[in-house]
Amino acid sequence: MNTHYHSDHVGGNYHLQKNYGVPIAAHKWDAELINSCDPESCSAQWLDQPVEPYRVDRKLSDNDEIHAGSRTLKVLHTPGHTLGHISLYNPEEEILICGDLFHKSDIGWLNTFREGVSSIQRSLESLDRLSTLPIQKAYSGHGPQIDNPTASIDAARKRFEKWLKTPEKISWHALKRIFSFTLIMKNGMAKEEIDDYLLNCGWFQDFARYSFQRQPEEFIQTLLDEMIRSGAASWYNNHLIAAAPYQVPQKEWLDKNIMPKDWKAQDLIT
């Protein structure tokens, strides 16, 4: 069950589906894009994040129930981080899987260029919906178990409300996370490679031109300075390295550089 279709949440689908026949479930809006091999799927091209081909076997809708052994999970459509984002709720044990809507002490970044400028309002509505549920524990897509979900939801709501007044913060939050993930995937980037790489990325072009009204060439150093200032990255032997702990991905995987635009229908047959 995928809470949404970003690469760091669906990257294992291909392996599990091809080698073990594991069925994949996702929200119906994600499923339509995935199963039609839409080049916009997963925002992979825009983010420059490879995703191997998979097929969604079960299309989920709001309030569907998924029977998982001794537990039943209720599907809650909680858009914001992506339009097809879902959370999963177990009412008996009052446990929530909230994907990237919110984390213990952070919130999921917002992609206003692919999800629309109203993604912040959708996030707030999703939080309001979850706040009505009795939740003992929550698990997000990143970070530790959330033992006080109410406090985390309240903090997330306050932060989104602040962003409504200072939209530039939405962009900085997203930029640092996208670039950090790039540095993690590539295990750092040599200083002399950074300019060419950024200038060929859709996300960097869009944020520079439309969020900050800067020419991309002029915005490179601004981003690098903020990555260092905020502690999101640091220089080591002339390489920019992500500050977050990570495990280096296999080079063979990264070299494939597979994007949905390269998917073929036969690749999706399980």
Side-chain angles (χ1 to χ4, degrees), residues 3 31-32 47 56 59 64 69 71 82 90 116 126 146 173 185-186 189 203 239 266-267 270:
T3 57
E32 294 298 333
L47 289 167
V56 177
K59 301 175 184 180
D64 280 354
R71 292 174 174 80
T82 68
N90 175 241
S126 294
I146 304 170
H173 186 259
M185 286 195 307
K186 296 180 177 296
M189 190 176 295
W203 61 267
H239 281 67
Q266 60 264 32
D267 294 333
T270 60

Side-chain angles (χ1 to χ4, degrees), residues 121-150:
Q121 283 85 1
R122 287 196 293 268
S123 297
L124 284 165
E125 289 185 350
S126 294
L127 288 174
D128 287 343
R129 181 183 187 186
L130 295 182
S131 68
T132 65
L133 301 173
I135 307 171
Q136 294 297 321
K137 291 180 182 176
Y139 300 88
S140 79
H142 304 274
Q145 172 183 295
I146 304 170
D147 294 314
N148 190 343
T150 300

Side-chain angles (χ1 to χ4, degrees), residues 48-269:
D48 188 36
Q49 294 177 5
V51 180
E52 293 178 284
Y54 68 95
R55 181 176 183 82
V56 177
D57 302 291
R58 180 174 174 183
K59 301 175 184 180
L60 302 174
S61 297
D62 191 43
N63 291 318
D64 280 354
E65 289 189 345
I66 297 173
H67 302 287
S70 60
R71 292 174 174 80
T72 297
L73 298 173
K74 185 176 182 180
V75 176
L76 305 175
H77 185 207
T78 49
H81 183 62
T82 68
L83 194 58
H85 189 285
I86 61 171
S87 298
L88 301 163
Y89 179 61
N90 175 241
E92 288 77 26
E93 297 182 69
E94 300 181 349
I95 290 175
L96 178 75
I97 298 171
C98 55
D100 281 3
L101 176 58
F102 70 94
H103 309 300
K104 184 174 182 179
S105 55
D106 197 4
I107 48 182
W109 66 278
L110 296 182
N111 185 347
T112 56
F113 298 102
R114 288 298 181 271
E115 305 300 332
V117 294
S118 60
S119 56
I120 189 167
Q121 283 85 1
R122 287 196 293 268
S123 297
L124 284 165
E125 289 185 350
S126 294
L127 288 174
D128 287 343
R129 181 183 187 186
L130 295 182
S131 68
T132 65
L133 301 173
I135 307 171
Q136 294 297 321
K137 291 180 182 176
Y139 300 88
S140 79
H142 304 274
Q145 172 183 295
I146 304 170
D147 294 314
N148 190 343
T150 300
S152 292
I153 290 173
D154 288 345
R157 184 188 291 108
K158 289 178 183 176
R159 193 166 183 190
F160 280 128
E161 288 171 345
K162 284 184 179 179
W163 281 4
L164 283 171
K165 301 174 183 177
T166 53
E168 184 177 291
K169 291 185 177 181
I170 301 174
S171 299
W172 274 122
H173 186 259
L175 271 171
K176 287 185 280 188
R177 276 149 185 77
I178 296 169
F179 196 26
S180 291
F181 196 66
T182 296
L183 296 175
I184 287 171
M185 286 195 307
K186 296 180 177 296
N187 193 26
M189 190 176 295
K191 190 172 185 178
E192 63 270 17
E193 298 173 348
I194 292 175
D195 287 19
D196 285 344
Y197 177 80
L198 290 176
L199 292 175
N200 282 286
C201 285
W203 61 267
F204 181 77
Q205 293 273 346
D206 283 345
F207 278 113
R209 294 181 188 278
Y210 303 115
S211 294
F212 297 96
Q213 291 77 52
R214 300 276 297 280
Q215 289 300 314
E217 295 83 356
E218 302 169 352
F219 192 64
I220 294 171
Q221 191 59 50
T222 303
L223 174 60
L224 295 179
D225 289 346
E226 178 59 20
M227 294 292 289
I228 300 300
R229 184 208 66 79
S230 65
S234 59
W235 292 107
Y236 181 76
N237 287 342
N238 224 31
H239 281 67
L240 191 64
I241 306 294
Y246 64 91
Q247 183 175 338
V248 180
Q250 295 177 344
K251 186 175 183 300
E252 309 86 75
W253 168 79
L254 194 59
D255 286 346
K256 292 178 183 177
N257 198 36
I258 296 172
M259 298 289 177
K261 67 180 179 61
D262 305 313
W263 293 0
K264 298 177 178 61
Q266 60 264 32
D267 294 333
L268 306 185
I269 299 174

